[in-house]
Amino acid sequence: MSRIDESRPFIPVGIAVLTVSDTRRLDNDKSGDTLVQRILEAGHELVARAIVADDKEQIYEQVRNWTLAEEIDVVITTGGTGFTGRDVTPEALEPLFEKRMDGFSEVFHRISYDKIGTSTIQSRATGGVANATFIFVLPGSPGACKDAWDGILKWQLDYRHMPCNFVEIMPRLDEHLKRGGKA
C-alpha cells in the first residue's frame, strides 16, 4: 500500500498545463483551472499554461517545446482524448513519446470506472516520457482531471510517496543519452 514518508523532503516539480479545445479560453477553462488549483495546492510550480485548438501540429509543437524547456518536468494536457473527428491529442503526442506509460491509462480507467462506469471507455487517456519530461494526456472534463490528479498524479509527483514515485527517477530519465560519450 502506498504511503507518504514524512522523513523525506517534499520536492516541487515544474509543471505545464495545456488545454486542447476549439472553444475554451482562459476565462472558461474549468479543466485547466482544476489542474492548476491542484498543482499549486500540492506545492508544485506552474511553469506554463496554454490553450491550443484541436490541431495535431499545434498540440505537438506546444508540448515538444515544453519538453525542451529545462524548468518543465511534467506536461499535463486536458482535452481531445475522445473519438470524434476533432479529438486528436493522443495522435499528436504519442509519436513524441520515447517511452509509453501503459499503466497510467490502465489506472486512470480503473479510477474512472468507479465513478462513471463503462463510459470510461470513451477516453483515450495516455501517458509517456519525451525529452526527460513526463507527459500525461487527460480527457477534457473537470471530473476526469480531478480523478487523474487525486488518484494518480498527486501521489506519483510527490517525492515522499512510497514505495516509489516519478520524482525520484526524474534525474535518470535521460541517462541513456549520457552513455558512451553521447551528450
Side-chain angles (χ1 to χ4, degrees):
M1 196 69 188
S2 60
R3 63 181 173 85
I4 295 293
D5 181 349
E6 296 292 346
S7 70
R8 297 178 88 173
F10 177 79
I11 300 174
V13 297
I15 302 175
V17 174
L18 179 65
T19 299
V20 177
S21 175
D22 290 332
T23 59
R24 293 189 189 161
R25 302 173 314 276
L26 283 177
D27 65 345
N28 69 358
D29 179 17
K30 292 179 182 176
S31 295
D33 290 345
T34 296
L35 289 168
V36 168
Q37 175 189 8
R38 281 167 161 70
I39 288 164
L40 297 176
E41 285 175 357
H44 297 295
E45 181 183 358
L46 178 68
V47 178
R49 181 177 180 185
I51 298 177
V52 299
D54 291 282
D55 177 83
K56 281 171 61 170
E57 290 76 27
Q58 287 183 44
I59 299 164
Y60 178 89
E61 284 303 315
Q62 182 64 71
V63 173
R64 185 184 63 79
N65 289 339
W66 280 346
T67 68
L68 297 173
E70 192 171 313
E71 67 275 14
I72 297 175
D73 303 300
V74 177
V75 174
I76 304 172
T77 73
T78 174
T81 66
F83 290 99
T84 71
R86 297 292 291 160
D87 292 324
V88 296
T89 307
E91 288 81 7
L93 296 180
E94 286 178 344
L96 186 61
F97 294 171
E98 295 157 11
K99 295 189 180 199
R100 188 180 163 120
M101 192 183 308
D102 294 328
F104 175 77
S105 178
E106 293 166 4
V107 173
F108 172 80
H109 285 296
R110 165 64 175 78
I111 292 167
S112 181
Y113 181 83
D114 288 345
K115 301 208 173 151
I116 64 170
T118 60
S119 294
T120 191
I121 66 172
Q122 292 192 33
S123 165
R124 297 178 298 136
T126 188
V129 177
N131 298 316
T133 305
F134 287 105
I135 301 168
F136 302 100
V137 179
L138 309 180
S141 74
C145 292
K146 288 176 189 175
D147 290 347
W149 183 269
D150 296 349
I152 305 169
L153 299 177
K154 170 183 172 181
W155 306 108
Q156 282 298 301
L157 296 177
D158 190 329
Y159 178 69
R160 303 167 303 167
H161 180 265
M162 301 305 280
C164 59
N165 59 76
F166 290 141
V167 179
E168 64 192 356
I169 64 171
M170 284 179 178
R172 297 179 47 218
L173 292 177
D174 63 355
E175 67 188 359
H176 63 290
L177 299 175
K178 297 173 184 171
R179 292 188 194 134
K182 296 179 185 175

